[in-house]
Amino acid sequence: MKLTRRARPEQSETIVALIDVVFFLLVFFMLIGRMDATAPFDVSPPVAATGRDMPSGGMTLSVSATGLLALDGRELTENELPDLIAARLRDDPDLRLRVNAHRDAELRFVLPLVGLAEASGVRDVVLVVTPAPAPVAQ
């Protein structure tokens, strides 16, 4: 009795090259993509006279010139804000709140939000500003 081996099925193309391409695309888009949430309206922060670099992390509260609010890119009302902050604080008690207010926004829109955040338990509130332009040397 003569036994014969079954013919091996033909190997299909390996997908290793495809995995490499997908990995490189993923890294590329992670490097060029913006990681911050953007407000659904235009926000141009005021120019700072002094200050430090803005710390990263936390959540961003955007305030438009007319007083519209957005938390991490999602529009909301002032009444919704305490519940959303409280929910985020349960996950991260050291959460930082960045207030990104338009330079033409009146203080009556911004200051109550800072007080509301502190009353909700936020320990660190950062006001976002644009760095002052460097003086021109002559």
Side-chain angles (χ1 to χ4, degrees):
M1 174 175 197
K2 189 173 182 182
L3 296 175
T4 58
R5 286 189 178 171
R6 203 178 339 162
R8 286 189 176 182
E10 193 174 309
Q11 292 287 332
S12 62
E13 294 290 323
T14 62
I15 63 168
V16 173
L18 180 63
I19 292 171
D20 289 344
V21 170
V22 170
F23 177 73
F24 285 125
L25 286 173
L26 176 68
V27 170
F28 173 75
F29 286 112
M30 285 178 64
L31 291 176
I32 66 164
R34 185 167 179 190
M35 298 297 177
D36 266 348
T38 54
F41 39 78
D42 178 44
V43 176
S44 300
V47 177
T50 62
R52 300 183 310 228
D53 288 342
M54 184 173 69
S56 61
M59 57 186 168
T60 302
L61 178 63
S62 301
V63 184
S64 74
T66 59
L68 295 174
L69 300 177
L71 184 64
D72 290 336
R74 183 181 153 269
E75 279 194 68
L76 65 134
T77 64
E78 191 172 338
N79 296 334
E80 297 174 280
L81 189 59
D83 294 334
L84 292 172
I85 290 175
R88 294 281 300 271
L89 282 172
R90 280 192 290 273
D91 297 334
D92 183 8
D94 296 326
L95 188 68
R96 172 181 296 120
L97 176 67
R98 291 181 302 222
V99 179
N100 185 14
H102 192 280
R103 67 175 160 249
D104 295 331
E106 297 177 20
L107 279 177
R108 66 185 174 101
F109 297 135
V110 179
L111 290 181
L113 299 173
V114 174
L116 184 84
E118 290 178 340
S120 298
V122 176
R123 295 183 197 149
D124 195 8
V125 177
V126 177
L127 298 177
V128 178
V129 294
T130 303
V136 178
Q138 295 181 1

